[in-house]
Amino acid sequence: MTTHVLEGTWEEVAKHAKDLIGKRVSVTVFDDEPTSNRKPNKGMLEALRRVKERQKDMRETSGESSVDIIRRGRAGEMFGYEPSE
């Protein structure tokens, strides 16, 4: 089953009426309150600020997994040894 999402005013959605004939649809009506008037989630914003502050001086990693780093260390890389073949 393919799902398509149409958003906008009723007039904007109604323009697609011909495409929706015979299809199963669901309509959700939102309050008239525009999104810009909604209060921000201050708790989450503060948590994101704390995370950003904690990560400020951290060096970026290469993206490899911790398991790969541990394996390389066990093979001697962290001590400057070359792995034996």
Side-chain angles (χ1 to χ4, degrees):
M1 176 162 97
T2 305
T3 303
H4 299 280
V5 176
L6 298 173
E7 282 189 26
T9 63
W10 177 251
E11 293 79 12
E12 294 167 337
V13 172
K15 290 179 184 177
H16 299 276
K18 288 182 184 177
D19 302 328
L20 301 174
I21 292 175
K23 305 233 178 177
R24 192 167 176 260
V25 298
S26 172
V27 177
T28 303
V29 179
F30 297 100
D31 292 336
D32 288 337
E33 179 183 331
T35 340
S36 60
N37 289 344
R38 293 185 185 157
K39 296 178 183 176
N41 184 337
K42 293 183 181 187
M44 182 54 72
L45 289 174
E46 182 56 33
L48 290 171
R49 283 189 197 104
R50 287 193 310 259
V51 168
K52 182 180 178 182
E53 182 63 29
R54 286 180 188 164
Q55 294 178 345
K56 181 175 62 174
D57 296 324
M58 288 182 163
R59 65 179 176 88
E60 292 189 24
T61 61
S62 65
E64 64 186 323
S65 73
S66 300
V67 173
D68 292 333
I69 295 170
I70 291 170
R71 285 184 180 144
R72 284 194 353 259
R74 287 181 177 165
E77 184 176 318
M78 66 187 343
F79 301 108
Y81 299 128
E82 293 295 321
S84 56
E85 307 256 343

